[in-house]
Amino acid sequence: HVQLVESGGGSVQAGGSLRLSCAVSGYTYRSGCMAWFRQAPGKEREGVAAIDADRLTTYADSVKGRFTISKDNAKNTLYLQMNSLKAEDTAMYYCAADRILAGPVNAGTFRANFGVWGQGTQVTVS
């Protein structure tokens, strides 16, 4: 049974930084793709960043240059480093994974049906 558990969310002032983590249990994601999504109240869920098995990455235009997605296969953990946070980054952040989804990642990756999702971690920027 594969589980994703996010952590690292919180409240931060604009311009600050947070690092989100997504711990994977039940499977080692050495293949497939992983991604971070977010959903703000009253808005649709949107893709933020994705990474494939070859560590190629893609980002939403709104976070390029500020967010960095990475993964540590030894720790089976996905990360999202968020710098220069803005009020509009306030949302619930979710990690997602799919071992079948092939790379390279691109903007279309965010429209794929990821098979496993975490429960989310709240990020509030004021």
Side-chain angles (χ1 to χ4, degrees), residues 14-121:
S17 299
L18 284 173
R19 188 176 81 155
L20 306 184
S21 299
C22 174
V24 183
S25 61
Y27 186 79
T28 299
Y29 275 95
R30 300 191 188 280
S31 63
C33 296
M34 298 189 73
W36 287 97
F37 290 78
R38 67 185 181 187
Q39 187 167 21
K43 294 187 177 181
E44 292 187 354
R45 186 178 64 197
E46 63 174 345
V48 175
I51 187 168
D52 63 25
D54 293 324
R55 301 181 186 276
L56 295 176
T57 59
T58 191
Y59 297 90
D61 289 341
S62 59
V63 307
K64 281 180 182 176
R66 300 188 299 121
F67 291 12
T68 302
I69 188 172
S70 63
K71 61 177 181 174
D72 185 331
N73 285 343
K75 296 182 178 179
N76 223 15
T77 301
L78 179 74
Y79 300 101
L80 184 68
Q81 178 66 44
M82 304 186 296
N83 299 328
S84 302
L85 283 162
K86 305 175 181 180
E88 51 262 45
D89 295 319
T90 296
M92 184 72 79
Y93 284 71
Y94 301 89
C95 69
D98 195 287
R99 63 180 129 180
I100 298 175
L101 187 61
V105 291
N106 51 49
T109 301
F110 298 130
R111 297 189 292 272
N113 290 320
F114 282 82
V116 185
W117 292 80
Q119 84 290 346
T121 186

